[in-house]
Amino acid sequence: NRRIVLASRPQGEPVASNFRLEKVNKPVAGEGEILLRSVYLSLDPYMRGRMNDAKSYAEPVAIDDVMVGACVAQVEVSNHPDYQVGDWVLAYGGWQDYSVSNGEGLMNLGQNPSNPSYALGIMGMPGFTAYMGLLDIGAPKVGETVVVAAATGPVGATVGQIAKLKGCKVVGIAGGADKCAFAVNTLGFDACIDHKAADFAQQLAAVCDNGIDVYFENVGGKVFDAVMPLLNTSARVPVCGLISQYNATSLPAGPDRLSLLMGTLLVKRIKMQGFIIFDDYGHRYPEFAQDMGQWLNDGKIQYREQVVDGLDKMPSAFIGLLKGENFGKLVIKVNDP
Ligand code: NDP
């Protein structure tokens, strides 16, 4: 059993030495338990928060503990009545080949799911996040303008496509020409602006000529600075993530713009609401699965995955994710089915 543990806590950007690959004995499934052999491991931005020694909405990973994360695995041994050998499951096994579970929090995907890795992306946590954050907090109406950054990642790409299905004008923000072309040509966004362009804020203002009604916040920082003056009266801002700040070790230097933000919220009666997907919306997963399953079947939603081979590549792929080096949902294939 190979596993990757947290060797040390990062100061700013994570580096390779914050992780350590170890070989340990394969765990054994006890009474009522199942042994899972991981095939796909998920890499997600929230894992950066778990590397800090600070209580957030979840506990940090302890030094020398296995890095946390979701996996799609197959049952190798079952001492549990609800699981058969060979079943595919969505589990929270962490960055390792094998894990043991008592079945709590698992989702059984059956013996022959058509796209098992989708449970980590479009049919799983990121897709669900996009769906609830946009529809429940963003509440987009036909003809409104919806803006989303990290536009080609699993959350942003899904937000924009659902907003198109709801009849909105959709403007993406992404890093680089290739990602922007993908957002427009494949995902069907009306426009996509490169946040690395020197005149990014001007380009965004030009394309959002009727202002912004829903800004789905994934990144924060200078992207939010460009969005804020464009927000319309009664705009909604689901606050999903702030990835541009995840490696920060202190607050950005002044000037203090908090009163500008508060004044904008007040005068324009803007609703800005954070959410943590499973804590706030876990009970609504079936509704999402029904709609998303249908949209995928009907070819109404496109989904891009980037599959990287090998457990040993996880640290470098994760470091890259925080810098925008991924293109699509980042999944690590660790074993053959
Ligand atoms: P992505 O696959 O989209 O990966 C992150 C992307 O963020 C990068 O590819 C990059 O895209 C972009 N990015 C990174 N740094 C910056 C920066 N400084 N400025 C602008 N963009 C940057 O991730 P996900 O779709 O999985 O997640 C998107 C967001 O949703 C994250 O903030 C995540 O934490 C959040 N999230 C929140 C949940 C919740 O419950 N609240 C649940 C799931 C996700 P590019 O090259 O285009 O800039």
Side-chain angles (χ1 to χ4, degrees), residues 69-287:
C71 64
V72 163
Q74 283 189 289
V75 175
E76 192 168 284
V77 174
S78 179
N79 300 323
H80 190 298
D82 297 344
Y83 297 90
Q84 313 303 317
V85 171
D87 278 350
W88 289 80
V89 298
L90 171 65
Y92 205 65
W95 297 21
Q96 56 186 341
D97 287 320
Y98 285 93
S99 57
V100 162
S101 167
N102 61 7
E104 211 177 300
L106 294 197
M107 191 188 295
N108 196 335
L109 307 171
Q111 286 277 326
N112 202 14
S114 41
N115 292 294
S117 61
Y118 282 26
L120 300 172
I122 188 69
M123 286 303 296
M125 192 273 280
F128 187 29
T129 298
Y131 179 93
M132 291 309 331
L134 178 68
L135 297 180
D136 198 60
I137 302 174
K141 299 191 226 13
V142 175
E144 287 190 329
T145 299
V146 174
V147 173
V148 64
T152 61
V155 175
T158 312
V159 166
Q161 291 182 89
I162 297 174
K164 282 310 295 177
L165 292 175
K166 299 294 173 188
C168 298
K169 169 175 168 176
V170 174
V171 176
I173 297 168
D178 288 352
K179 288 185 178 181
C180 286
F182 176 80
V184 173
N185 300 333
T186 304
L187 302 177
F189 289 19
D190 297 281
C192 187
I193 311 292
D194 181 355
H195 63 77
K196 295 175 183 164
D199 61 345
F200 158 66
Q202 290 89 321
Q203 284 192 45
L204 186 68
V207 98
C208 297
D209 48 352
N210 286 319
I212 297 173
D213 300 296
V214 178
Y215 173 57
F216 191 104
E217 176 64 292
N218 278 334
V219 307
K222 72 167 200 226
V223 171
F224 185 73
D225 290 344
V227 162
M228 186 161 68
L230 305 175
L231 290 170
N232 288 333
T233 297
S234 302
R236 285 81 66 202
V237 182
V239 181
C240 173
L242 298 167
I243 194 166
S244 74
Q245 309 304 308
Y246 291 175
N247 286 328
T249 50
S250 61
L251 290 173
D256 182 351
R257 290 160 53 87
L258 187 58
S259 56
L260 177 65
L261 170 63
M262 298 288 261
T264 305
L265 297 183
L266 171 62
V267 172
K268 292 188 174 165
R269 288 87 99 195
I270 290 166
K271 170 174 148 180
M272 194 173 203
Q273 184 183 324
F275 68 106
I276 302 296
I277 187 60
F278 284 109
D279 296 26
D280 295 329
Y281 292 109
H283 59 291
R284 293 182 65 177
Y285 180 80
E287 181 186 330

Side-chain angles (χ1 to χ4, degrees), residues 1-5 21-22 24-25 27 36-41 66-73 92-100 311 314 334-335:
N1 182 35
R2 298 168 305 160
R3 62 181 202 177
I4 294 177
V5 302
L21 179 65
E22 296 181 343
V24 294
N25 290 337
L36 298 172
R37 179 171 173 276
S38 288
V39 178
Y40 298 105
L41 301 184
V66 179
M67 282 293 296
V68 290
C71 64
V72 163
Y92 205 65
W95 297 21
Q96 56 186 341
D97 287 320
Y98 285 93
S99 57
V100 162
L311 184 76
M314 279 194 94
V334 290
N335 288 297

